[in-house]
């Protein structure tokens, strides 16, 4: 199970690049372990406050200093489908802890906003920043220093990355991530996309659209397409932070409940008070991060993780770049076809063999590091298993060696594509990324005149007025992190899809985001430097010829260089986007946030 030479080369350069910051991080974590990772570090007054509200039997255990106590960080709310199942998880965890002679407490809740609700709305401007708020919120909960391990309950887009950043900041204690699972399959994703396009063309009304959306998102659980939320779950498993095979088990099932109890038992087993001490700062190392990037490419996952993985790695003192991601994509086989990269959803992926099959295939292909520490054992091969319910107990058996549906999940010997779905684009406009796993080869090179917009709403209006008939590269700028918080721009997908369907050559260039739901339109996203940071995108004019070549990895404006560089930078009054629905509270984060290629973090240097 030796990793192939190309992946080893990328891993080695990450290790070398990160040598200083990783050593600083590990030294800090080691020092914290020596200071005490449990309640013995607290005074009597501190401790009394810490267990004042507990049941008498729990107070006795918390007093002795030798009984492990789990801190629960939860993103529960009852409005969002992905997080509603968490409502009773703290009770389940506490009961499982008591059965094991230990205790558990809810340390804090964290915000959990939904990009699906805020898509195309002003609240989306807070989405990316919510990741850093979540990290800080979790840190406040864990700062009480009452806990020997932490369990993190989170699913969706910015929530899991924020929780990972917090977990790594408290990297001296174990961290177990607990999924809630996807909702059962509803309206097929391709039918949902067809209805959306009909609505965008004015061929059906709002009632028909709302019915289709309600049939798609119909019950508790994660949305079933392969966007950022489900990519998060894949990452937590392939990086060794989940119980094996737990990512895509539906909510409300006996197996789901049993897995939550198993996660509790495991969190207790790996504290410093036992014999298998596994602090999360040692689990997430350079090899684990590389495994995460491989998983991202092998599944055609969310482009949001070209930002989040950088920020997550930085919290552990590890420095990764878009070039690392692109180079790994070039040597990673695409094994999954899940919407928008195919017609299946994550339930079909799970039924076809899921994470256990995929991890086994990638390990045997030399595409993953096996020699990593996980919450479940000392190598990744322990994740080539799937859980089965035997009465009320879980037993693990080897994952299947053949796919249950080779149209959804392919073997490494016959992948859907020899390379992953992500490309780095360089050129005279800066640096950006593009997800090509759902873009047909004939659409991957577009040379066309620019149509420039200062918001996605402007482009929507132009489309509705019939002003966009013809080949074009839509340039949507002033959508970056410093400008307005880098919202996702999915309102652009239906009109661009319609124009492409009419036979026009179309593409998108933006300093905003698109995420895992980006599909068949070639989209150069996360362009950096962004417009408000003096990026060349601020010099583009209507009619400038642009060339996006996803095969060669280039993005260029085909204008005389001297003339282009002499143009003044376009500016835009963005004050209207800085107020309302809480956006005024985030002016400091807009001022502090880094560029997309550095993780778009407003937290500063963590190491």
């Amino acid at each position: 199970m030796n990793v192939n030479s190309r992946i080893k080369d990328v891993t080695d350069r990450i290790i070398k690049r990160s040598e200083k910051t990783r050593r600083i991080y590990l030294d800090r974590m080691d020092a914290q372990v020596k200071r005490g990772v449990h309640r013995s570090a607290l005074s009597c007054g501190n401790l009394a406050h810490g267990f004042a509200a507990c049941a008498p039997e729990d107070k006795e255990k918390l007093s002795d200093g030798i009984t492990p106590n789990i801190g629960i960080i939860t993103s529960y709310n009852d409005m969002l489908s992905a997080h509603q199942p968490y409502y009773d998880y703290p009770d389940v965890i506490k009961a499982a802890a008591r059965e094991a002679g230990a205790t558990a407490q809810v340390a804090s809740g964290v915000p959990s906003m939904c990009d699906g609700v805020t898509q195309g709305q002003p609240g989306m401007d807070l989405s990316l920043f919510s990741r850093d708020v979540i990290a800080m919120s979790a840190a406040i909960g864990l700062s009480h220093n009452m806990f020997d391990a932490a369990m993190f309950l989170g699913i969706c887009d910015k929530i899991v990355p924020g929780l990972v950043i917090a977990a790594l900041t408290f990297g001296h204690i174990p961290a177990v991530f607990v999924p809630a699972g996807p909702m059962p399959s509803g309206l097929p994703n391709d039918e949902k996309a067809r209805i959306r396009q009909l609505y965008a063309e004015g061929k059906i009304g709002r009632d028909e659209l709302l019915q289709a959306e309600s049939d798609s998102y119909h019950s508790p659980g994660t949305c079933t397409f392969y966007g950022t939320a489900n990519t998060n779950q894949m990452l937590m498993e392939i990086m060794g932070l989940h119980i094996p095979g737990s990512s895509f088990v539906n909510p409300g099932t006996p197996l789901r409940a049993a897995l939550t109890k198993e996660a509790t038992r495991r969190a207790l087993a790996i504290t410093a008070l036992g014999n298998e001490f596994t602090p999360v700062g040692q689990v997430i190392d350079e090899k684990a991060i590389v495994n995460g990037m491989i998983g991202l490419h092998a599944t055609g996952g969310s482009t949001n993780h070209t930002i989040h993985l950088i920020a997550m790695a930085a919290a552990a003192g590890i420095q990764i770049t878009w070039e690392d991601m692109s180079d790994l994509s070039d040597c990673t086989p695409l094994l999954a076809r899940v919407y928008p990269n195919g017609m299946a959803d994550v339930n079909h992926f799970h039924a076809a063999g899921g994470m256990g099959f995929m991890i086994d295939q990638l390990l045997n292909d030399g595409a993953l590091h096996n020699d990593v520490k996980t919450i479940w054992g000392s190598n990744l091969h322990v994740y080539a298993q799937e859980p089965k319910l035997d009465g009320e107990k879980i037993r693990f058996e080897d994952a299947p060696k053949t796919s249950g549906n080779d149209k959804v999940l392919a073997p490494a010997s016959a992948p859907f594509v020899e390379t992953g779905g992500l490309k780095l684009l360089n050129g005279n406009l800066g640096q950006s990324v593009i997800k090509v796993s759902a873009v047909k080869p004939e659409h991957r090179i577009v040379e066309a005149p620019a149509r420039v917009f200062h918001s996605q709403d402007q482009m929507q209006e132009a489309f509705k007025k019939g002003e966009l008939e013809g080949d074009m590269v839509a340039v949507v700028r002033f959508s970056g992190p410093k400008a307005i918080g880098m919202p996702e721009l999915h309102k652009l997908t239906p009109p661009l899809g319609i124009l492409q369907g009419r036979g026009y050559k179309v593409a998108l260039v933006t300093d905003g985001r698109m995420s895992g739901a980006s599909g068949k339109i070639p989209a150069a996203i996360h362009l950096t430097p962004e417009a408000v940071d003096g990026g060349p995108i601020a010099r583009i004019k209507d009619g400038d010829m642009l060339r996006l070549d996803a095969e060669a990895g280039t993005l260029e404006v085909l204008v005389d260089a001297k003339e282009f560089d002499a143009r003044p930078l376009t500016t835009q009054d963005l004050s209207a986007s800085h107020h309302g629905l809480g956006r005024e509270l985030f002016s400091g984060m807009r001022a502090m946030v880094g560029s997309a290629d550095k993780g778009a973090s407003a937290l500063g240097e963590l190491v």
Side-chain angles (χ1 to χ4, degrees), residues 18 55 152 218 245 300 334 355 359 390 420 508 525 581 591 607:
S18 308
F152 294 90
H218 58 90
L334 181 68
M355 292 297 298
I359 288 172
D390 189 356
L508 174 68
I525 58 176
L581 291 179
V607 176

Side-chain angles (χ1 to χ4, degrees), residues 303-442:
T303 54
N304 272 329
H305 281 290
T306 64
I307 297 174
H308 296 323
L309 274 166
I310 292 172
M312 291 155 63
I318 300 166
Q319 301 175 38
I320 60 173
T321 68
W322 284 349
E323 184 180 8
D324 297 331
M325 295 185 193
S326 185
D327 288 350
L328 289 171
S329 181
D330 288 343
C331 56
T332 302
L334 181 68
L335 301 187
R337 284 289 191 197
V338 186
Y339 189 84
N341 304 322
M343 293 300 103
D345 65 26
V346 293
N347 292 310
H348 303 132
F349 168 82
H350 185 66
M355 292 297 298
F357 172 83
M358 189 187 74
I359 288 172
D360 186 54
Q361 290 292 310
L362 291 171
L363 281 170
N364 290 328
D365 195 49
L368 287 173
H369 291 284
N370 186 47
D371 55 335
V372 292
K373 185 176 288 190
T374 77
I375 66 162
W376 200 244
S378 59
N379 61 65
L380 190 61
H381 196 259
V382 295
Y383 282 77
Q385 300 184 86
E386 55 185 27
K388 301 292 183 180
L389 207 53
D390 189 356
E392 293 185 357
K393 294 185 178 180
I394 290 178
R395 60 178 171 81
F396 288 86
E397 59 183 44
D398 290 344
K401 298 297 182 183
T402 58
S403 171
N405 185 341
D406 58 13
K407 294 181 179 178
V408 177
L409 193 52
S413 59
F416 294 114
V417 185
E418 293 291 340
T419 60
L422 187 77
K423 293 285 288 187
L424 175 64
L425 302 177
N426 283 297
N428 57 12
L429 289 177
Q431 192 172 69
S432 64
V433 294
I434 185 170
K435 181 178 174 179
V436 295
S437 50
V439 179
K440 292 181 178 179
E442 61 266 29

Side-chain angles (χ1 to χ4, degrees), residues 25 28-30 32-33 36-37 73 107-108 134-150 152 162-176 277-282 315-316 606:
Y25 173 80
R28 288 177 181 172
M29 294 305 109
D30 288 345
Q32 185 62 47
V33 169
V37 298
I73 304 292
S108 71
I134 287 159
M136 291 186 286
S137 300
I140 289 170
L142 295 176
S143 69
H144 296 102
N145 201 23
M146 287 280 294
F147 311 110
D148 303 285
F152 294 90
L163 293 176
V164 170
I165 292 169
L168 290 169
T169 306
F170 288 79
H172 58 286
I173 61 174
V176 175
F277 184 39
T278 311
V280 67
Q282 294 179 14
L606 299 180

Side-chain angles (χ1 to χ4, degrees), residues 238-287:
I238 207 167
M239 291 166 66
L241 295 176
H242 272 179
I243 297 297
S246 64
S247 295
F248 301 119
V249 175
N250 299 125
T253 60
L255 180 57
R256 178 81 276 159
L259 284 164
T260 301
K261 295 175 184 176
E262 190 70 29
T264 306
R265 289 189 284 268
R266 191 59 190 168
L268 294 169
I270 60 176
T271 72
L273 298 172
N275 298 319
E276 298 180 72
F277 184 39
T278 311
V280 67
Q282 294 179 14
V283 172
I284 301 302
D285 63 6
E286 295 90 341
K287 291 180 179 180

Side-chain angles (χ1 to χ4, degrees), residues 560-580:
D560 177 75
K562 184 177 287 188
E563 186 268 323
F564 186 76
D565 291 343
R567 292 179 185 176
L569 292 166
T570 303
T571 59
Q572 175 74 358
D573 180 5
L574 298 169
S575 57
S577 297
H578 293 166
H579 298 275

